[in-house]
Amino acid sequence: MAVTTLQLSPEIFGKVAHTLSEITGNELSDIGPYTDFSADLSMSPMEMAQLVAKIEEMYRIQIGRSDLGDMETVSDLVIFIEEALS
């Protein structure tokens, strides 16, 4: 079985991780590509709404409810942003 390495934009990942750290109070060093919003960061619905609002403002994109429902990890969000900007 081959292991796939994620190729995430370091700039986008950094901004998302920093935003998550501000919202959740988690250390920046505890947030990685595979960090799960629910299991690892224990994010409340209010915190997820704050995250969406900040990301939408930062990148001038829209994140729909169905899109948000498909996102479980930081990398899911970063990939969504990358695709929305391309």
Side-chain angles (χ1 to χ4, degrees), residues 8-24 26-28 31-33 35 37 41 43 48 50-52 54-56 58-59 61 63 71 73-82 85:
L8 301 176
S9 162
E11 180 182 344
I12 295 174
F13 173 77
K15 287 182 178 181
V16 168
H18 182 75
T19 302
L20 280 166
S21 178
E22 286 180 342
I23 291 171
T24 65
N26 285 283
E27 294 293 326
L28 195 55
I31 300 171
T35 302
F37 297 122
L41 300 178
M43 290 184 73
M48 285 300 291
Q50 288 177 311
L51 174 63
V52 168
K54 286 188 178 223
I55 295 298
E56 287 179 335
M58 189 181 309
Y59 291 103
I61 61 173
I63 302 173
M71 295 180 207
T73 65
V74 174
S75 62
D76 293 337
L77 177 56
V78 172
I79 290 167
F80 178 88
I81 296 166
E82 291 173 338
L85 295 176

